[in-house]
Amino acid sequence: MRLTQDPIQVLLIFAKEDSQSDGFWWACDRAGYRCNISRTPESALECFLDKHHEIIVIDHRQTRNFDAEAVCRSIRATNPSEHTVILAVVPQASGDHEEASILPLLNAGFNRRYMENSNIIACYNELIQIEHGEVRSQFKLRACNSVFTALDHCHEAIEITSDDHVIQYVNPAFERMMGYHKGELLGKELAELPKSDKNRADLLDTINTCIKKGKEWQGVYYARRKSGDSIQQHVKITPVIGQGGKIRHFVSLKKLCCTTDNNKQIHKIHRDSGDNSQTEPQSIRYKNRRKESIDVKSISSRGSDAPSLQNRRYPSMARIHSMTIEAPITKDGLRRLSGNEYVFTKNVNQSHSHLAMPVTINDVPPCIAQLLDNEESWDFNIFELEAVTHKRPLVYLGLKVFSRFGVCEFLNCSETTLRAWLQVIEANYHSSNAYHNSTHAADVLHATAFFLGKERVKGSLDQLDEVAALIAATVHDVDHPGRTNSFLCNAGSELAVLYNDTAVLESHHTALAFQLTVKDSKCNIFKNIDRNHYRTLRQAIIDMVLATEMTKHFEHVNKFVNSINKPLAAEIEGSDCECNPIGKNFPENQMLIKRMMIKCADVANPCRPLDLCIEWAGRISEEYFAQTDEEKRQGLPVVMPVFDRNTCSIPKSQISFIDYFITDMFDAWDAFAHLPALMQHLADNYKHWKTLDDLKCKSLRLPSDI
């Protein structure tokens, strides 16, 4: 049973914002916790009763604004606080003062004391210790209710005794089988209950000798019901080892044996209890169960494009079997192409009231609507949409694509909420960036939607996967500053320190996206889905965005080829029929497909029509030129020396990028998703760059074409 809860919810109660409250806020962000802040006792209590936080941090450093102990007592007076850990932040003790006793805090209801320290790592360490200690213990206590509910509804008779054979628990099935009420059994020793005289004289000694050694015993045993009748049971007794390696309990599972005498007893037991479920014919039960099953064959037929792939890809499928992709370079070797530096922006409560609310998808201006009519085509021109929307393509394309995939219906949110969310996300992309702006996000969203429409992709993923992929594409570069991760680490950015120089921006994109979403109910597209769906959706979004970080590029491609393409090739080569969807009901495979999909969508520029490919190449080059310029000004290491605006050959840079990253990845993705148009564009674009390079041209086009 999984006893952790993701994400853990934390409530910060601070009368005013300061470095200490900020320290805990960013520590929650780093740990992946959901965090609320309250400024008054009244709002704190109201928020807690609504959210039932696992951890509460109360400012106990001064009493001008509120009485921290009174706040703690008011929370402890509520029922949900039984499983909550409350932390008191107290001032640092001066050297000439005696250490204060913790007893007043414990008496007020606090669990722990935290000496004032605003360092994010110190706050993070404190929260992580609480999670791994008190919070997980509380999860176990809460889980007991679920476990006992399961036991109460179990059809097998279950009896739990202590190590000295005192009855601790019996379930309703045990009561029905034995004819006792649990009140007659709990607290009694097994020796006090009547025994059947049909067992061997030494059977009880044999059982006790076995289980006292910590071994499981199972066999046939005669028991005596309250009525005096003897019944034959299949019994399994399992010792439960507790603290210190000592046996703490024995769990007994009991089933009636199928004998003539027992059948009479079974009929009598169920007649007395009014339970007719056991007498239901097996054929009816199995028939009903089959109605709930899924016809795998019919699904695989609908979700597969095997015939077309079989006709065209035998040579490439054979090649995939011998294709081994390894990562021959280190993280340092990838510096020139790894993503992205961050200019630290602390305030995530950005105001969006100044932005005009976009109109509904059914009432957009004709020039935009006409463009969006073609959004399902791979040749869709995102730059035209950028122009007519005044650099706000993400809102309009997002409304159209999300509507087509039924995202609002799946999330149970209104179109108004979705519009507000798209508006907030787009407002946090930097329009001043040459490349990493909301047009790039819209382009990746468009590519993702296109890939989701391919038959094999569609047949391998669930709707939750589709929704997660569309959201991940939308937010994958939010708040990107137009600088790389390498620049960020070299500059000693605060965010690089926070994320330990690892996937810095990708981690920030996901964290900020969720912060922006849940901060305001008006744009919280997740507010109406249940916790389990939210957790699954959140994890999928995070996983996909992190997959866009290029240092693990070869690892992701290698896993996809070995786990998806090679088994698929084997199926197609060994069978004339349509193959089953490779991902359905296999979460690990679905994850690999989603990662590969967003990776390809993120760097699909070389597979776009030539004019679009050239425009994207110019934009990314300009962004890299600007970084090199800044590195030189600040005296930082130049991580991409080839992108010096005075010497760079853009065709050479594109050829290297395609050779090194794009060709193998899109070959693998094409083998799965069947993308002949994209592969033709890739070949044409590569030929364009090679022609320029052969002519020693360093620009995007030949001078005669400009």
Side-chain angles (χ1 to χ4, degrees):
M1 181 174 184
R2 188 180 181 207
L3 297 176
T4 57
Q5 179 174 322
D6 184 22
I8 287 173
Q9 298 194 94
V10 179
L11 174 61
L12 306 181
I13 307 176
F14 286 77
K16 59 181 181 179
E17 182 179 359
D18 63 6
S19 60
Q20 185 62 73
S21 65
D22 287 348
F24 275 112
W25 170 268
W26 289 112
C28 289
D29 175 62
R30 176 174 182 166
Y33 301 159
R34 298 182 69 177
C35 185
N36 300 106
I37 299 180
S38 293
R39 301 299 183 198
T40 66
E42 296 76 20
S43 63
L45 186 59
E46 181 182 356
C47 185
F48 172 69
L49 291 175
D50 178 47
K51 303 288 187 183
H52 297 180
H53 305 81
E54 285 77 31
I55 302 173
I56 298 177
V57 182
I58 302 179
D59 188 3
H60 197 291
R61 292 170 296 171
Q62 43 77 27
T63 59
R64 289 196 307 273
N65 298 295
F66 56 71
D67 183 341
E69 294 183 14
V71 174
C72 183
R73 281 192 291 268
S74 68
I75 292 173
R76 285 294 183 209
T78 65
N79 289 332
S81 70
E82 178 186 1
H83 300 296
T84 299
V85 180
I86 305 182
L87 176 72
V89 179
V90 300
Q92 289 280 0
S94 57
D96 55 347
H97 282 78
E98 187 177 336
E99 178 77 16
S101 171
I102 199 173
L103 284 177
L105 295 178
L106 296 176
N107 292 334
F110 289 100
N111 300 93
R112 292 172 68 100
R113 178 184 67 179
Y114 178 80
M115 289 290 188
E116 182 178 14
N117 184 347
S118 60
N119 180 274
I120 293 174
I121 299 301
C123 297
Y124 173 81
N125 289 341
E126 180 70 16
L127 293 175
I128 290 297
Q129 288 181 78
I130 293 174
E131 177 193 351
H132 285 258
E134 291 98 320
V135 171
R136 290 195 177 178
S137 296
Q138 294 294 348
F139 284 160
K140 291 180 181 179
L141 291 175
R142 274 190 274 182
C144 287
N145 293 330
S146 301
V147 172
F148 281 112
T149 298
L151 294 177
D152 285 344
H153 289 83
C154 182
H155 292 300
E156 291 182 331
I158 299 174
E159 173 190 67
I160 301 176
T161 65
S162 63
D163 59 333
D164 52 358
H165 303 296
V166 175
I167 299 174
Q168 308 287 305
Y169 168 84
V170 294
N171 69 345
F174 186 95
E175 294 177 272
R176 290 193 297 270
M177 178 186 287
M178 300 304 297
Y180 288 98
H181 184 270
K182 64 181 179 181
E184 301 173 272
L185 297 173
L186 300 184
K188 281 193 173 184
E189 292 187 24
L190 290 178
E192 298 178 44
L193 299 180
K195 303 289 188 297
S196 172
D197 54 6
K198 293 188 176 184
N199 293 309
R200 296 195 324 265
D202 63 343
L203 182 58
L204 282 178
D205 290 338
T206 302
I207 295 173
N208 283 327
T209 301
C210 178
I211 63 178
K212 285 293 186 183
K213 293 178 180 178
K215 297 180 180 179
E216 187 179 88
W217 182 89
Q218 56 181 322
V220 176
Y221 180 82
Y222 284 93
R224 177 162 291 177
R225 300 186 72 234
K226 183 179 179 181
S227 63
D229 302 321
S230 288
I231 53 175
Q232 191 180 27
Q233 302 170 323
H234 282 296
V235 179
K236 185 197 308 188
I237 305 175
T238 304
V240 179
I241 309 299
Q243 188 175 9
K246 181 182 177 183
I247 296 173
R248 301 293 178 178
H249 295 91
F250 297 104
V251 176
S252 302
L253 277 68
K254 306 185 178 187
K255 293 181 182 178
L256 289 169
C257 298
C258 294
T259 66
T260 302
D261 289 342
N262 271 5
N263 286 338
K264 295 177 182 177
Q265 293 295 333
I266 292 170
H267 178 73
K268 182 178 178 182
I269 290 168
H270 292 294
R271 184 186 63 201
D272 293 345
S273 65
D275 183 357
N276 297 319
S277 63
Q278 296 291 336
T279 61
E280 181 183 0
Q282 274 194 342
S283 60
I284 295 177
R285 293 207 303 275
Y286 285 121
K287 184 178 179 182
N288 291 339
R289 196 175 301 163
R290 284 179 63 92
K291 288 180 180 177
E292 299 171 1
S293 66
I294 298 173
D295 188 343
V296 177
K297 184 176 180 181
S298 65
I299 290 177
S300 65
S301 299
R302 290 195 304 270
S304 173
D305 60 353
S308 60
L309 206 130
Q310 182 181 0
N311 292 336
R312 64 175 279 275
R313 293 208 64 90
Y314 269 114
S316 61
M317 285 296 182
R319 181 170 62 86
I320 286 172
H321 276 290
S322 61
M323 178 180 176
T324 303
I325 304 174
E326 300 294 345
I329 57 177
T330 64
K331 180 176 179 180
D332 287 337
L334 279 167
R335 293 176 81 98
R336 63 189 181 88
L337 287 166
S338 64
N340 310 320
E341 190 274 342
Y342 173 71
V343 178
F344 193 69
T345 304
K346 180 180 160 189
N347 180 18
V348 296
N349 283 314
Q350 296 195 23
S351 171
H352 23 273
S353 60
H354 65 285
L355 290 171
M357 180 64 69
V359 291
T360 68
I361 193 60
N362 296 318
D363 194 29
V364 298
C367 58
I368 298 176
Q370 187 176 355
L371 281 174
L372 290 175
D373 285 341
N374 192 42
E375 60 88 12
E376 293 187 45
S377 166
W378 180 253
D379 294 346
F380 176 72
N381 193 323
I382 196 69
F383 300 116
E384 291 181 359
L385 185 64
E386 177 192 63
V388 298
T389 60
H390 305 291
K391 296 190 176 182
R392 288 170 52 196
L394 188 57
V395 169
Y396 290 97
L397 182 66
L399 283 171
K400 181 72 183 294
V401 169
F402 279 46
S403 173
R404 178 155 62 90
F405 282 86
V407 173
C408 284
E409 292 81 357
F410 180 85
L411 296 175
N412 191 26
C413 74
S414 67
E415 188 184 21
T416 302
T417 303
L418 175 62
R419 290 200 310 269
W421 179 77
L422 287 167
Q423 180 188 21
V424 170
I425 296 300
E426 183 151 41
N428 281 273
Y429 276 93
H430 299 188
S431 60
S432 58
N433 290 344
Y435 182 91
H436 287 103
N437 48 43
S438 70
T439 304
H440 168 65
D443 184 64
V444 176
L445 173 62
H446 173 264
T448 301
F450 181 85
F451 294 151
L452 287 172
K454 306 307 290 183
E455 281 301 314
R456 181 166 279 118
V457 178
K458 189 189 308 181
S460 301
L461 301 179
D462 302 314
Q463 189 179 12
L464 185 145
D465 299 310
E466 293 178 351
V467 172
L470 295 174
I471 293 173
T474 303
V475 306
H476 83 283
D477 271 332
V478 67
D479 201 35
H480 196 298
R483 298 291 182 267
T484 67
N485 275 335
S486 300
F487 181 99
L488 169 72
C489 297
N490 290 336
S493 164
E494 187 173 355
L495 202 66
V497 174
L498 180 63
Y499 289 111
N500 299 315
D501 292 354
T502 304
V504 176
L505 264 179
E506 291 73 20
S507 300
H508 171 65
H509 299 321
T510 51
L512 180 65
F514 280 100
Q515 288 171 13
L516 292 169
T517 303
V518 303
K519 271 287 183 182
D520 188 348
S521 179
K522 293 184 180 66
C523 64
N524 187 355
I525 57 175
F526 305 126
K527 62 186 174 183
N528 293 327
I529 59 175
D530 65 59
R531 174 172 292 187
N532 288 335
H533 269 113
Y534 173 77
R535 287 163 55 186
T536 306
L537 194 64
R538 171 176 158 80
Q539 192 54 52
I541 293 166
I542 293 170
D543 185 82
M544 278 185 278
V545 175
L546 292 182
T548 64
E549 207 270 308
M550 292 298 287
T551 60
K552 292 188 177 180
H553 170 84
F554 295 97
E555 177 183 335
H556 290 315
V557 175
N558 192 33
K559 285 182 178 179
F560 182 85
V561 169
N562 291 328
S563 299
I564 305 294
N565 281 358
K566 287 184 178 179
L568 183 61
E571 282 190 78
I572 293 174
E573 290 175 353
S575 172
D576 292 331
C577 65
E578 295 184 346
C579 62
N580 292 335
I582 201 79
K584 213 77 163 180
N585 301 322
F586 293 90
E588 179 70 19
N589 285 350
Q590 289 177 320
M591 179 182 69
L592 296 177
I593 292 168
K594 287 182 291 184
R595 287 176 180 173
M596 191 70 160
M597 178 169 60
I598 196 169
K599 280 179 61 61
C600 289
D602 191 30
V603 293
N605 308 334
C607 299
R608 293 288 188 182
L610 180 60
D611 285 346
L612 305 184
C613 170
I614 291 172
E615 177 65 22
W616 284 123
R619 292 188 177 203
I620 191 63
S621 298
E622 177 53 41
E623 196 165 289
Y624 286 164
F625 292 158
Q627 176 173 310
T628 300
D629 293 343
E630 186 170 353
E631 286 166 334
K632 290 180 178 178
R633 285 195 305 271
Q634 295 189 18
L636 296 172
V638 176
V639 297
M640 296 180 292
V642 296
F643 282 100
D644 185 313
R645 67 174 70 250
N646 298 315
T647 60
C648 179
S649 167
I650 294 177
K652 280 188 185 299
S653 71
Q654 288 297 307
I655 291 168
S656 297
F657 181 61
I658 293 171
D659 283 341
Y660 203 60
F661 290 101
I662 298 301
T663 300
D664 285 344
M665 181 169 71
F666 270 88
D667 274 347
W669 185 233
D670 174 45
F672 177 75
H674 183 41
L675 304 163
L678 275 71
M679 302 309 289
Q680 186 60 53
H681 284 314
L682 178 60
D684 294 342
N685 296 337
Y686 189 82
K687 182 179 179 181
H688 169 78
W689 300 123
K690 285 289 288 182
T691 300
L692 293 180
D693 187 50
D694 291 341
L695 295 172
K696 310 300 182 185
C697 177
K698 295 185 177 182
S699 61
L700 295 167
R701 296 178 176 88
L702 288 171
S704 59
D705 296 334
I706 298 175

